[in-house]
Structures are given as structure tokens and as C-alpha cells.
Amino acid sequence: MEDKIIKLLESLRLIKPDEEFKNRGRDLILNVHGGRRMAEVKTGIFSSVKFGAALALASVLMFVFIGGLSYFANYAFVADGFNAEALTAEAEQIDLKIQLGQARYSESASEVAARFSEAEKNKEEIDNLLDEIVL
Amino acid sequence: MLEAENKLIRQAQEGNRGSFGQLYDHYLDKIYRYVFLKVGSKHEAEDLCHDVFFSAWQNIGGYEEAGHPFSSWLYQIARNKVIDFYRTRRKHSPLDDVDEQFIKVVNNLEARFDDLMEFGRVQRAMEFLSEEQKDVLLMRFVEDLSHREIAAALEKTEGAIRLIQHRALNSLRDILQNKEKEKENGG
């Protein structure tokens, strides 16, 4: 059985392409398509395009990287200056608020003291009146 | 292997069309037969063969012998083209529903066959084999490649190729014997 299979498979060696296809195919590959030289040119263009694209991408990345670095450096410098001023201003504002608060407190305290003193006066008056009534 | 093949390859790598033409003339029949038996259609086989040799011409600069024969390199391209063909155009091998053109080609060989029906049986039985087993049987017995050449084309060791061949023949024999038994039992 095995020999029969092998013999049968070997007989398929007689299968061949048409001569017309064979000749036409050779001409097409070697002449019409421009052959290997064209392929080399295409490959060359493609590889140079690839190289160019890679170079351009690398340049863009470098630009972005350097730009990013300088931006952050500048931003950090400005931010430092801004922060110092802002902090001072803020600190001054805080003091001002405290002073205002103290002022308000002082104002309210004097009012309270006045009321107390008035109350003290009233107290004396009340004491006097009580003395008169009792006496 | 073609006489002075290495010289022709070197010249073709330098852009010599005539040298590549000689390589084409020498290998076309083999590659065509392999592709034809894989796709089962004359027109598809012609298109794929054209792709194989065009691709080989474009990429011959990248071919390095390095222990791999040129024929194996071509079969490797052909095999990849056939795989792409089935991946993009058809899901199944057409050999199970025998192509009309395939029958015509085989009929032309009828005088050489003792029994054309026997060929049909083997052909149908081969459909039960894996693509790898089919490749090995076709390359070994139809294309008459050495185990070394097949190993290079399929990127396997020679030992693995011998094993695949042995199993493929056993499977084919079992399938055919089972079919015979089914036939005898009227199945």
C-alpha cells in the first residue's frame, strides 16, 4: 500500500505549467515590473523614507523634550518669584486681617467697657436709691 | 540543484536579470507543481507562482545560503503565499471538492496512471492529513526534495521531517484501508 501511494505521488511530477504562462511570467517579472533594479530603487526609497521618518520623529521628540525642559525650567523660575511675592502679599493680607480683627475686637471691647462703666454708674444710682428707701 | 547555482544567485543579487531568468526556468515547474497541488486550481496556481517568483526577485538580495539551499528558500516563499491565500480568500482547501481545472490537468496524465480512480482516493485521503504532513509528502515524493531541503523549507530538523513523513504515510495507509473496508461493508 505504501509503495503504491509513493508511486502515485511520484507520478504527479508530470504536472507542469503552460509554456505560455512560463514565458509570460518571466517577462512580466524581469521586464514589466522593472525587475530587481526597480525593486532596489523601491526598497531604497522606502528605506530612505523610513530613515527620514525616523529622523523626523527623533527630531520632533528631541524638540518636545528640550522645549519641555526649558518650559519647566522657566516656569519653575517664574513660579519661584511669583510664590515669594504671593507669599509676602498673602502674609501682609493676613496681618491686615488680624489687625482689622483686633480693631474690631478693640472697638467692641471699648463698647463693652463703656456699658460696664454705665452699668457701674447705674449701680451706684441704684445703691443710692436703695439707701434712701431703706433709710 | 542547478549547476553553478551559487554563481547565478550572486549575479542575480547584483541585478542580473538573465541569471534570475535561469533560476526561474529551473525552479518554476517544481514551484508550480507544489502550489498547484496545494490550491487545486490552475489559475490560482499561476497567480501564486507569479507572486512567489516576483517576491523572490525583489528579495533575492536578502537571501543568504547559510546552509539553506535556494530551493528551500523558494519553497518557503511558496508555502507562505499558499498560507496567505487560504487566510485571505478561502477557508478550506479546494481539493476536497475537486476543482474542474484540476481534473483536466490530471486527466492529461491519465495515460501515465494505472488507475485514475486510485489517484482520486489518495487525493481525498490526503485531505485528512495536516498541512504539514501534506507538505512533507508533496515535497518528498512529488518534488523529490531531500530531507535536508524539506527541513530548511519548513524550518524543522531533518529528524522531525522523517517522523512527519513516517506518520503521514501511516495515516494515509490507515485512511485508505478503512475506506476500503467501508466500501466492502457497503458503507
Side-chain angles (χ1 to χ4, degrees):
Chain A
M1 177 67 86
E2 207 169 286
D3 290 343
K4 202 173 177 180
I5 292 166
I6 292 169
K7 201 177 170 187
L8 201 61
L9 289 171
E10 283 173 350
S11 66
L12 292 172
R13 287 177 195 166
L14 295 166
I15 294 173
K16 281 183 181 178
D18 293 343
E19 278 301 311
E20 192 195 336
F21 160 73
K22 200 171 177 173
N23 297 329
R24 191 167 34 89
R26 191 202 301 106
D27 290 345
L28 269 172
I29 290 165
L30 297 176
N31 300 318
V32 178
H33 286 315
R36 177 156 166 70
R37 289 194 186 282
M38 180 58 83
E40 275 175 349
V41 170
K42 280 181 188 170
T43 310
I45 291 168
F46 188 60
S47 60
S48 60
V49 165
K50 276 201 291 189
F51 178 73
L55 197 69
L57 184 65
S59 305
V60 168
L61 286 173
M62 282 288 281
F63 178 76
V64 168
F65 181 71
I66 293 166
L69 272 182
S70 63
Y71 172 77
F72 281 114
N74 289 334
Y75 178 77
F77 176 73
V78 170
D80 284 346
F82 179 74
N83 280 345
E85 286 171 14
L87 281 170
T88 310
E90 201 175 343
E92 282 172 1
Q93 279 180 345
I94 289 166
D95 286 345
L96 188 64
K97 279 176 188 170
I98 291 168
Q99 283 171 358
L100 284 171
Q102 283 173 338
R104 279 185 186 175
Y105 177 75
S106 305
E107 191 183 350
S108 59
S110 59
E111 278 176 14
V112 171
R115 298 278 170 105
F116 270 119
S117 62
E118 274 179 25
E120 284 292 321
K121 281 180 187 174
N122 290 336
K123 193 184 169 187
E124 281 174 16
E125 282 178 12
I126 291 165
D127 285 343
N128 289 335
L129 286 170
L130 283 171
D131 286 342
E132 283 176 14
I133 294 166
V134 173
L135 291 173
Chain B
M1 185 174 159
L2 188 61
E3 201 178 327
E5 186 176 274
N6 289 338
K7 192 181 172 188
L8 286 174
I9 293 166
R10 270 199 307 278
Q11 287 171 341
Q13 285 176 324
E14 288 163 6
N16 189 318
R17 296 175 188 202
S19 299
F20 187 80
Q22 284 186 57
L23 292 167
Y24 172 92
D25 287 342
H26 182 72
Y27 285 109
L28 179 69
D29 289 7
K30 293 165 186 284
I31 296 295
Y32 174 84
R33 200 159 42 229
Y34 168 75
V35 173
F36 177 76
L37 289 170
K38 292 286 281 183
V39 299
S41 154
K42 185 172 175 273
H43 293 308
E44 303 286 10
E46 285 179 353
D47 286 350
L48 286 169
C49 254
H50 184 79
D51 286 352
V52 170
F53 280 95
F54 182 57
S55 184
W57 182 223
Q58 280 188 310
N59 298 299
I60 196 165
Y63 166 73
E64 286 173 29
E65 195 191 342
H68 298 299
F70 186 69
S71 58
S72 302
W73 185 67
L74 284 178
Y75 278 108
Q76 208 170 49
I77 297 173
R79 187 168 171 262
N80 289 336
K81 293 283 178 194
V82 170
I83 289 169
D84 286 347
F85 168 79
Y86 282 118
R87 193 180 290 149
T88 55
R89 292 190 232 176
R90 292 179 183 180
K91 286 181 180 174
H92 306 290
S93 165
L95 290 178
D96 50 354
D97 52 0
V98 187
D99 190 288
E100 199 180 313
Q101 292 161 336
F102 188 83
I103 292 172
K104 276 182 192 171
V105 173
V106 174
N107 271 333
N108 290 336
L109 309 172
E110 193 175 7
R112 307 271 180 169
F113 290 145
D114 292 337
D115 188 355
L116 185 61
M117 290 302 287
E118 191 67 24
F119 173 75
R121 283 177 61 235
V122 173
Q123 183 201 325
R124 280 190 292 277
M126 279 183 75
E127 284 306 305
F128 291 95
L129 302 180
S130 69
E131 286 302 313
E132 202 171 65
Q133 288 177 325
K134 273 190 268 189
D135 278 340
V136 170
L137 290 185
L138 291 180
M139 288 181 181
R140 182 77 188 111
F141 300 113
V142 182
E143 304 307 325
D144 199 25
L145 295 187
S146 67
H147 287 117
R148 178 173 161 261
E149 286 173 310
I150 301 170
L154 302 184
E155 294 175 311
K156 291 191 178 292
T157 62
E158 283 185 54
I161 296 299
R162 284 177 205 277
L163 193 65
I164 293 167
Q165 180 190 310
H166 176 73
R167 284 179 180 164
L169 284 172
N170 281 351
S171 300
L172 210 51
R173 188 193 58 216
D174 291 346
I175 294 163
L176 288 167
Q177 282 173 349
N178 286 338
K179 294 269 180 193
E180 272 179 19
K181 278 180 192 170
E182 279 175 20
K183 203 176 174 182
E184 282 169 11
N185 294 333

